[in-house]
Structure formats: C-alpha cells, structure tokens
Amino acid sequence: MAEGRRIVLGVTGGVAAYKAAYLARRLIERECTVRVVMTESAQEFIGSATFAAITGREPVTTLFGSEDVSPHTTLGQWADAIIIAPATASTISKLAAGQTSDALVATVLASRAPVVIAPAMHTEMWDQPATVANIDRLRAYGYKIVEPEVGALAGGDVGLGRLADPEAILDAVDGVFPVRDMDALRVLVTAGGTREPLDPVRYIGNRSSGKMGNALAEVAAERGAEVLLVTAADPPDRSGVEIDRVDTADEMAASVWGRASEYDVVVMAAAVADFKPRITESGKIRRADGAPTIDLEPTPDVLRGVRGMSPRPFLVGFAAETGSLEGAAAKAREKDVDLLVANDVTTPGAGFGSDTNKVRFVFRDGSTEDLDLLPKREVASMIWDTVLRLREES
Ligand code: CTP
C-alpha cells in the first residue's frame, strides 16, 4: 500500500496536468509525503503554486538554480516511488532513451524506486510506432504503465488517450509496494540446473537459468518470508535471502533434506538431473583415448525425500515438459505434491533463461488453472498467492 510513503509526482505538459493536482491531494490524504517535479511545458498548463499549496513544498522545475545543488539525486534517492501523470509522448521518449535533459527524467534516472507512468495524449500519438516502441521499452525496464482511457482529449476531440482515472493510478501505486503477507512464513526454494561431473572440466547439465527460483525467493523475501534458496545457479543479488550454493543433485539433496523440516513450504523449482555419471574421472578425459562410454546411474529424487518427511512441509513441484502439458496431472498425482507448476519449455517466452513464463497450476483434485505469459516475478507472486490460499483452505 502507498500509505505513508514518500512519493515524487512528475507532471508533464498536457491538458490533463490539472488532474495531477487531484492526484497529489489524494496522496496527501493517504499520508504520503509528496514532492512534485514539473517539466517546463507542464507549467504552461498548471501553476506551480497549486502544487505548493497542496503539498506544502515548492515543486522542482529545473535542474539548476535552486537551493539544492542536485535536486534530481536528492529526490531520486529520497523517493519510495515515482509517479508520472500525465506523461506526454515527449517525456516517454526521453525516458525510453535515458535522456536526462530535464529535472523530471534526471530524477527518474537517479532513482532505484519503482516508477508508475500514466500516459495522456491524442490517439494518433499514442498509436504511433515510436510511442508503442517506447512504451514497450519502458515496460521492459520494469516501469508500471497505467494505460490511458477513451474520453475527451485536448481541442474537443474524443478517443483513446485520456489520462487514466486517478483512482486507477493510485491502485497501480499500491501495487508497487508488496504486501507483507508472508511475515510468519519460512520457505525453502530450490533453483537452477544441477551439474553432474564427468571429469574435473566437464559435466552433464541442463539449460535451467535459475531465474524462476530466484524470482520466487525474491518475491517471498519482499513479502516478509524467511527464505532459504538452495541453488545450482547464480543467486539473486539481494539481502534477506539465505543462499546455499550447490552443484550436483547429491549436494542439493543433502542441503534440502538437512533443512526442509525447519520450513513451512518447500518449492522445488530446480531442474535436478535424473541421472549422473557412475564414475567421475579424477583427471581430464583425453581425446586421444577415444570416445568414452558414459555409464549413468540415477540421482536421488529430492522432492520424494521431502514428501516422506514428518511433519511434511507444504510441497510445490515443478514440471518442465516439452510439447504438451497433458501429462502434468498424472505427474502431480504421482509426485503427491500440494501444487504442481507445469510449463512447456518449448513455448516461446516460457523456455529456460527467459524472463517470462507461461505456466499451468495443477491442484490436488486434478483441476488446473492456466496463467497468461507473464514476467517470472509475476508468476512467482501468483504461485505464492496460491500457496497461501491453499494452506488456508487445508
Ligand atoms: N526433482 C527432484 N529430484 C530429481 C528430479 C526432479 O526433486 N532427481 C523435482 C524437480 O525439482 C521438480 C519435480 O521433481 O520439482 C519434477 O521434475 P521433472 O524433471 O519434471 O520430473 P521427473 O520426475 O524427473 O520426470 P521426467 O523428467 O521423466 O518428466
């Protein structure tokens, strides 16, 4: 929720700039501290005195000449979130290019805070390929776009491009502050693809990048959970997640089996090798010795070991399938998991290494729910929402 947060409100030059004053008022009602940054053209549409009166502070209108020698870095570092409403095509284009020619774009670039952008412009401008590409780029940067609506535009025109309703913008701002609904929960997440050594330089591995497991760990930590990530991939760069870095299926099994009983939920997002070389050569296998025959043996089934524990943590399995998810329900039954998250790794955008995923939830009763193609963080959020709901129902 946005309550009590420090918000930078960026106002750019469009007829909807007057609505930004209402937005500022609504934020103040929610006990936010609001600092306004106006572009030069915004000042053609609304006076800075309006915002000064609402927020109790003079808006920042220029990078130079104020008491603060570096207003963009001061505000960028201070902000819990930045809202730009209305956002013109020009400001959107500057943001997409990272071009810091005014105080507002400079503030966004000098900040690590989440950014919510509410565009407003004529339909023709919104539909321009340049604007479409810029908006796509901002989405890829992680900015939240609150799409414009159909309505009255400047000059008496009507069409798509009117600033979204201020309440919809406020909802989007709420959405960037994660709810701490996992405060009392301890979760263990596995991630990455294990590597089974053939010799000191070679291994049998798989294409898993660890991104899905990392997203699960990060989102759970943001929502307040105590998180252990047992990973065979590069871990996320954030505090609040305990990391146990492993390589092989045996190491993953030892780590997970040693710790799982301390946890309320175990999510097995790792792509664990099913087989490993029976022998790991101590020296490099030489080409001159001819093509080797590699004898394989099964690895431990990590998930099965957790399933047999008492008390048993709430157990989420993953199923990486190719071509069809028809077998997922049988796998969920066979694995006896509380929730199975299945994906077809051959679907564009859902494969290993991708930042997005398209998954199917398979529940204990065999029912399923198909999610859209979403960023892995959003998939992670929906997995945790579902875990919380199922635990409450059980
Ligand atoms: N898994 C595990 N230990 C293994 C292999 C897999 O714990 N040795 C876990 C994975 O982390 C995943 C689930 O089991 O949560 C399903 O993995 P998957 O590879 O889809 O299933 P398998 O049982 O290995 O079946 P198959 O590869 O034949 O489809």
Side-chain angles (χ1 to χ4, degrees):
M1 299 297 276
E3 254 72 13
R5 304 284 186 160
R6 295 184 299 221
I7 307 285
V8 167
L9 174 60
V11 185
T12 74
V15 67
Y18 75 94
K19 293 187 188 168
Y22 175 72
L23 194 58
R25 162 138 314 193
R26 291 284 289 120
L27 288 163
I28 300 278
E29 280 168 13
R30 298 176 72 176
E31 287 170 17
C32 296
T33 313
V34 181
R35 302 287 313 273
V36 174
V37 183
M38 301 175 77
T39 61
E40 214 175 292
S41 51
Q43 296 164 69
E44 299 285 335
F45 288 89
I46 186 166
S48 61
T50 304
F51 291 108
I54 293 172
T55 66
R57 288 274 207 152
E58 270 310 318
V60 171
T61 53
T62 153
L63 274 172
F64 306 105
S66 64
E67 241 173 63
D68 186 343
V69 291
S70 182
H72 61 301
T73 54
T74 305
L75 280 186
Q77 288 161 9
W78 170 87
D80 291 327
I82 299 176
I83 310 172
I84 305 182
T88 56
S90 161
T91 291
I92 286 166
S93 134
K94 286 183 194 167
L95 284 168
Q99 190 207 102
T100 57
S101 54
D102 63 45
L104 176 55
V105 181
T107 301
V108 174
L109 262 71
S111 182
R112 292 191 199 282
V115 180
V116 174
I117 296 185
M121 63 195 75
H122 258 72
T123 314
E124 294 82 351
M125 297 170 86
W126 176 247
D127 286 342
Q128 274 300 322
T131 310
V132 171
N134 287 335
I135 289 285
D136 282 348
R137 193 180 273 196
L138 295 190
R139 280 205 175 96
Y141 294 164
Y143 298 175
K144 178 96 196 154
I145 308 293
V146 189
E147 301 242 349
E149 302 169 347
V150 174
L153 306 171
D157 292 334
V158 175
L160 179 65
R162 185 177 71 176
L163 182 71
D165 188 83
E167 298 305 320
I169 300 171
L170 288 169
D171 284 349
V173 179
D174 280 340
V176 300
F177 297 109
V179 226
R180 290 187 68 89
D181 55 355
M182 291 176 69
D183 263 334
L185 220 61
R186 310 191 73 207
V187 305
L188 189 162
V189 178
T190 68
T194 61
R195 297 175 171 196
E196 311 302 326
L198 286 159
D199 68 13
V201 292
R202 304 182 183 90
Y203 60 83
I204 299 177
N206 61 67
R207 294 181 186 277
S208 170
S209 62
K211 285 183 179 173
M212 191 63 241
N214 284 358
L216 280 157
E218 282 182 323
V219 170
E222 284 164 16
R223 287 168 71 161
E226 188 181 321
V227 185
L228 170 62
L229 178 67
V230 181
T231 180
D234 290 337
D237 180 22
R238 65 157 288 138
S239 54
V241 175
E242 185 188 345
I243 309 288
D244 189 6
R245 182 74 171 78
V246 297
D247 259 331
T248 63
D250 284 307
E251 287 170 16
M252 186 164 276
S255 174
V256 172
W257 292 346
R259 301 285 302 273
S261 60
E262 304 162 33
Y263 289 84
D264 303 302
V265 181
V266 171
V267 181
M268 289 289 310
V272 189
D274 287 320
F275 301 98
K276 63 175 181 179
R278 195 177 290 281
I279 293 166
T280 302
E281 300 294 342
S282 56
K284 193 178 168 196
I285 299 169
R286 295 286 168 192
R287 183 188 180 95
D289 296 337
T293 302
I294 297 161
D295 198 11
L296 299 176
E297 66 181 357
T299 55
D301 187 333
V302 187
L303 189 145
R304 188 184 290 269
V306 177
R307 196 178 70 187
M309 288 179 174
S310 169
R312 186 187 116 149
F314 186 96
L315 188 53
V316 181
F318 269 68
E321 304 292 337
T322 49
S324 154
L325 296 182
E326 289 315 307
K331 193 176 264 190
R333 242 190 337 271
E334 189 264 315
K335 301 248 169 221
D336 187 26
V337 288
D338 298 294
L339 173 68
L340 187 80
V341 181
N343 67 330
D344 172 2
V345 292
T346 62
T347 303
F352 293 128
S354 160
D355 289 320
T356 51
N357 204 355
K358 178 161 179 23
V359 306
R360 170 178 292 179
F361 290 162
V362 184
F363 301 98
R364 269 199 170 281
D365 63 3
S367 61
T368 59
E369 181 185 340
D370 285 324
L371 270 53
D372 293 332
L373 181 70
L374 293 168
K376 281 185 172 163
R377 278 182 60 89
E378 282 183 43
V379 176
S381 275
M382 295 182 83
I383 291 172
W384 290 125
D385 289 346
T386 306
V387 167
L388 296 186
R389 176 173 62 76
L390 292 173
R391 282 183 86 241
E392 215 172 276
E393 283 168 11
S394 67

